[in-house]
Amino acid sequence: MTGEEKHVDDQKIIELYWERKENAIQETSQKYGGLVTRIAQNILSSHEDCEECVNDTYFAVWNAIPDKRPNLFSAFISRITRNLALKKYEDLSASKRNPSAVISFDELDDCVSGTDSVESESESRRIESLIDNFLWQLEKEKRNIFIRRYWYFDSIENICHYTGFTQSKVKSMLYETRRKLRAYLEREGVEI
């Protein structure tokens, strides 16, 4: 590769974890450090909190892999980072929270409210599966914008930069997708 650092294959990284080799974390950091940092930064407002979350991610992956062999390592590490950042987000005072993440939560509130109607873990998994099915029915462009906003908590500005669309277009696409998601979930019997 010219001018680029060659990264180790995901399966080789997973093997390093299974063999309990400490360089597994270094290889993970080299390949996915930018991704996990971006996820944490999009949720948390402080550099220190973000850095702590990234380190916690590597520790959590180290502890999780002997029990699990993830099929898609990038999704596995992203999910861990996101969950840790959201937990830290909840623990922080409101003044330290990232306003973009707060807005993302507020936008989705009409679709999946987190009320007492979701009474069991199996119902939560069913809803997660329904949302996943819904997203795969979308055009790739709309799906990517939705995921960037509500999974990675990218700001509207960052999404515009990434897609080349205007803020108005991105907001309109997100609004329409949320509206369709709500209707889809209601048709599937999910109480909103």
Side-chain angles (χ1 to χ4, degrees):
M1 299 179 131
T2 58
E4 289 183 22
E5 199 172 319
K6 185 171 176 152
H7 294 293
V8 175
D9 177 79
D10 285 354
Q11 292 307 314
K12 289 180 182 168
I13 293 174
I14 292 168
E15 278 305 313
L16 292 172
Y17 281 104
W18 271 82
E19 295 168 3
R20 307 314 282 163
K21 305 259 175 149
E22 289 188 25
N23 65 327
I25 293 172
Q26 179 184 1
E27 295 294 340
T28 302
S29 176
Q30 286 178 356
K31 187 166 185 180
Y32 292 109
L35 174 66
V36 297
T37 299
R38 189 181 96 220
I39 293 168
Q41 284 176 336
N42 286 344
I43 297 171
L44 303 167
S45 56
S46 136
H47 175 73
E48 293 80 21
D49 292 335
C50 173
E51 195 172 294
E52 182 180 335
C53 181
V54 169
N55 289 331
D56 289 348
T57 296
Y58 298 140
F59 182 70
V61 171
W62 178 265
N63 288 329
I65 289 213
D67 297 331
K68 299 176 185 171
R69 189 176 285 272
N71 292 329
L72 186 57
F73 190 61
S74 61
F76 179 76
I77 195 168
S78 294
R79 180 178 290 255
I80 288 173
T81 304
R82 183 178 185 272
N83 291 342
L84 288 170
L86 289 172
K87 171 102 174 77
K88 182 169 256 335
Y89 171 88
E90 289 175 7
D91 294 343
L92 295 171
S93 68
S95 64
K96 290 179 74 178
R97 292 181 180 167
N98 181 344
S100 181
V102 172
I103 291 167
S104 293
F105 287 134
D106 291 344
E107 289 172 359
L108 274 182
D109 195 40
D110 287 338
C111 297
V112 183
S113 63
T115 63
D116 292 336
S117 66
V118 181
E119 297 173 353
S120 69
E121 189 174 319
S122 65
E123 180 66 3
S124 295
R125 277 185 293 212
R126 183 177 89 83
I127 292 170
E128 185 177 310
S129 178
L130 287 170
I131 292 171
D132 190 46
N133 290 337
F134 170 81
L135 290 174
W136 282 106
Q137 293 173 20
L138 295 175
E139 297 169 19
K140 183 178 179 180
E141 185 174 83
K142 290 180 181 177
R143 180 176 57 245
N144 286 341
I145 288 171
F146 191 88
I147 289 170
R148 279 184 162 280
R149 180 69 174 155
Y150 302 117
W151 178 259
Y152 295 114
F153 296 102
D154 273 353
S155 68
I156 298 291
E157 294 78 19
N158 284 345
I159 295 170
C160 291
H161 177 74
Y162 171 77
T163 62
F165 295 147
T166 64
Q167 284 193 19
S168 176
K169 180 170 175 97
V170 169
K171 287 178 182 179
S172 175
M173 290 173 79
L174 289 169
Y175 173 79
E176 188 62 25
T177 305
R178 287 193 313 270
R179 190 184 64 73
K180 288 179 179 178
L181 173 60
R182 180 184 175 102
Y184 174 80
L185 291 174
E186 287 174 342
R187 279 194 311 274
E188 295 295 327
V190 176
E191 277 186 47
I192 305 293

